[in-house]
Every structure is written in C-alpha cells, then in structure tokens.
Amino acid sequence: MNRRDFVLAAAAGTLATPLLAARTEPGVTDTEILLGQSAVLTGPLSPGALALQGGARIAFEDANAKGIHGRRIKLLALDDAFDPARAQTNYRALVQEHKVFACVLGVGGLPTLAGLPVLREANVPLIAPAGVVDSVRDKTQGSAYYTRASQQREADALVSHFATLGMQKVAVAHIATPGGQEVLGQVQEAITRRGLQFAGSAGVAPDGSNTAEAGKALAAAGAQAVILFLSGPSAAAVMKGVWALGAAPSFYGMSILAGDVTARLLGEQSKGLAVSQVMPYPWDAANADANGYRKACEKAGVPVGYHSYEGYLAGGVVAEALRKAGRDLTRERLHASLRALKMRLGGVDYDFTNGRHTGTQFVELVRVRADGKFVR
C-alpha cells in the first residue's frame, strides 16, 4: 500500500492492523494496562482486603520495573462495602465507564456473583478473587481464575490430619450464613469419606451475638477436635465458652480465621491453636520469593502476613499471565494465557490447564503462638 492509499484507508476507517487493535482494546494503551478492583475497602471487614491490595501493588511495582512488553500495570480500586448491589454497580463502572482491561482481587462470594453478568458480557477476566465459596467458584467458571485452594481442599486437609493423629470425633463452629452452611456440608462430607464421626455443629451469628450458646453446644458434643470457620473475635469467644464448661478439644481454624487476632484476644490460652493456611509461610527465609516480598513490604510500609502475601503472589500470577499474552494484548488473549498458565511462585505450583479455574491445591497447617506469630 502506497502512502496515498494508506492515508485514504485511515481516513475511511478501513485500516486494521494487530497493533492498532491492541491500542484500542479497553484499558490498554502503548504504555499502560488498567486493572480494576471492587472489594470491601472500608469497615470492619476491610483489613484483609486492604492487605491483599497492598501485596498486589508491591508485585505490580516489581513487574512495572521490569516492564510488560513496554507497558505498566495500573490498578483502579472501588469500595463495595461487601454489598452485592454496590459490587455490581462498581463492576459496571469499572468495565463501562473506566474501561478497565481486567479485574482482580474481588472479595466475597455474593459480591463476585453480582458482578459476574457484567464481566461475562464484556469478556473481562477476574483474577484472584478471595473469600469465594466453592459453589460460587463453580458458577464463575470461564470468567474467574482463583489463586487460593478451595474450601473443600481445606476441609479435606484438616480431616486427613485428624485421621493421622487418631482423632475420631470432630465438631464444627461456622458462621451462620449460607456460605458457612456450605462449608459445614463440605466438612461433613470429608469426615464421612475418612470414616470419622461427626460430633455436631454450632452456627455463630455474623455479629457474634450467640457465641455463648455455640460454646455450650460444642462443649456438649464431646469432640476431640473442633474446626472453626469463624472470624478471630467470634472464634476466641467460642473457645472461651467451651473451656468454661470444662471441655478441652483441640481447635483448628480454617484460613478465614485471623490467628493473630485470636491469639491477642486469648493470650496464653491460645497455645495449641492451629490454622490451615492456603498461602505459603511468608517468613520462610529459605525462599527467595518470600525474602523479596518481605523486603518490598518493609520499603512500602505494608504489614507482612498471609493476606498481603496472598496479594503479592496473586499479583505475580497476573503479571506473568499478561507477559505470556504478548504485546498485542486482548481480553481473549489474556483468557487464553491464563488457561495455559503453569508456573511456580513462592514455593507454590500454579496450574490452570485442563479447565482448572482454581490454580493451586496448596494447604498447610501452622501453629499460632500466644504473641500472635505463626510457626510451622
């Protein structure tokens, strides 16, 4: 095509090349990739989400320093206050108004489900959402990619541990929400599969108003081990209630439980509390990724912990998927890159191939000291 024909084609709007297509993809310019986040960024549930975001921003800065085919990642975050209606409004604004390329680090099953129609309509990937129950994960297949193990995987790991120790009777304290009921069913399934005995359960109101009654029910269950699918303050109150009635089971929190918060509330009484973690140990001095993360946290003023490490590793997965998607970046290319992604980061193997929407099965148990520190 000569210069005259080139100018005429451009004026008529009939000229199309891969480079121009990449430049006009929503959220992508020659120098920037705009990502969006809708999460609970204010209120009592916000600390975990803010820590996730802080860790991801560190990973994005590291990726930006290296460059992603000449572009830098920019994150635009909106607060949904854990409200599904607000989350849907946020996702609509992120996709239609702000023109983000992809979304990351949503928090909660119902907010994620509320945003799903908006994401699907525009073919926008959602990468590394957290706190999403397995039934919602299944509904997001093809749109969302998870960088933490499923709750069923956590339940299986805990029950397998009990079987190894010879514990037979297991009880569960769970948040009295549909998500909590789902986890209760998953634990019961794991107990049945391993031939153990389900001793009973107690549902705890989200505001913790019935922890005394829950403690009584668990004390009467006579369990050797109690699984806690609860927040830190509620878990501490339930444990105190059980002990006050003379029962002394071993307590095991799922990863939703903030062990450091629980330990601060219980002090020396917290000795023996174990928590299943779906992220590797952030204080591992033998792991280069963990060492780099802690140094970056110190520089950025981000607290070191499981939530921020989750964000950091998720950010690394996002950056690698973007690199593998190539310079001519489109949402479909990013989906394809994620579906083909296999990598190791922080000692964790991530594998989204063969239709997996959850890329890791990593779970390990750690103990919580009275000072709130975790030990392997």
Side-chain angles (χ1 to χ4, degrees):
M1 180 182 291
N2 60 36
R3 179 176 176 80
R4 178 177 176 277
D5 291 337
F6 183 94
V7 172
L8 291 173
T14 59
L15 183 66
T17 69
L19 181 58
L20 288 177
R23 286 177 177 170
T24 58
E25 185 76 4
V28 178
T29 70
D30 281 343
T31 59
E32 184 178 277
I33 304 167
L34 181 62
L35 304 180
Q37 180 192 25
S38 177
V40 51
L41 303 178
T42 57
L45 297 178
S46 65
L50 290 170
L52 278 171
Q53 185 190 105
R57 288 187 184 277
I58 290 173
F60 293 157
E61 284 304 309
D62 181 57
N64 289 343
K66 299 173 184 175
I68 301 177
H69 302 293
R71 299 186 176 103
R72 294 172 56 85
I73 297 172
K74 181 180 178 181
L75 179 63
L76 172 63
L78 301 178
D79 179 26
D80 60 33
F82 212 65
D83 175 55
R86 192 164 163 183
Q88 187 175 68
T89 298
N90 283 355
Y91 280 113
R92 188 172 291 112
L94 288 168
V95 172
Q96 298 177 3
E97 179 185 342
H98 300 291
K99 308 292 184 184
V100 301
F101 176 63
C103 288
V104 297
L105 299 170
V107 177
L110 292 179
T112 299
L113 203 57
L116 185 61
V118 178
L119 299 173
R120 280 219 165 117
E121 183 179 7
N123 198 32
V124 175
L126 173 60
I127 310 170
V132 179
V133 294
D134 292 354
S135 61
V136 173
R137 288 191 188 210
D138 293 341
K139 292 174 182 176
T140 64
Q141 179 86 33
S143 294
Y145 304 85
Y146 295 87
T147 56
R148 56 156 55 195
S150 67
Q151 289 166 331
Q152 184 66 67
R153 169 69 179 134
E154 272 197 82
D156 291 343
L158 284 167
V159 173
S160 294
H161 178 71
F162 302 151
T164 300
L165 295 180
M167 294 179 175
Q168 292 295 314
K169 298 183 68 177
V170 182
V172 180
H174 63 90
I175 304 172
T177 62
Q181 282 293 138
E182 180 177 328
V183 171
L184 171 62
Q186 291 174 315
V187 173
Q188 288 177 296
E189 179 187 336
I191 288 171
T192 301
R193 203 182 320 119
R194 292 305 299 252
L196 305 187
Q197 180 183 344
F198 177 65
S201 65
V204 178
D207 63 1
S209 58
N210 66 331
T211 53
E213 291 83 354
K216 289 178 183 178
L218 293 169
Q224 295 164 291
V226 175
I227 293 177
L228 303 166
F229 184 73
L230 297 170
S231 66
S234 292
V238 167
M239 293 167 71
K240 286 180 179 179
V242 172
W243 290 327
L245 294 171
S250 296
F251 287 100
Y252 292 81
M254 294 184 72
S255 59
I256 185 178
L257 188 147
D260 51 348
V261 173
T262 309
R264 285 198 293 271
L265 293 169
L266 294 176
E268 285 297 327
Q269 286 182 297
S270 66
K271 185 179 296 185
L273 172 64
V275 179
S276 61
Q277 297 291 357
V278 292
M279 289 295 127
Y281 193 62
W283 300 274
D284 186 357
N287 185 275
D289 293 320
N291 290 334
Y293 151 78
R294 292 195 307 276
K295 289 178 182 177
C297 281
E298 183 178 359
K299 182 179 178 180
V302 173
V304 173
Y306 280 102
H307 282 111
S308 60
Y309 199 29
E310 178 176 356
Y312 179 79
L313 296 178
V317 170
V318 171
E320 184 64 13
L322 289 169
R323 286 192 193 97
K324 289 184 178 296
R327 172 69 185 177
D328 296 333
L329 195 56
T330 66
R331 287 171 177 158
E332 189 51 52
R333 281 177 179 266
L334 180 56
H335 276 294
S337 174
L338 285 160
R339 290 192 295 266
L341 188 63
K342 293 178 72 172
M343 64 182 294
R344 186 171 178 82
L345 186 64
V348 176
D349 291 313
Y350 294 94
D351 184 356
F352 293 97
T353 63
N354 297 318
R356 299 181 184 93
H357 63 311
T358 296
T360 172
Q361 297 294 309
F362 180 88
V363 178
E364 74 171 1
L365 289 179
V366 296
R367 292 282 178 183
V368 185
R369 298 192 324 199
D371 61 2
K373 295 188 180 300
F374 296 93
V375 292
R376 279 172 154 171

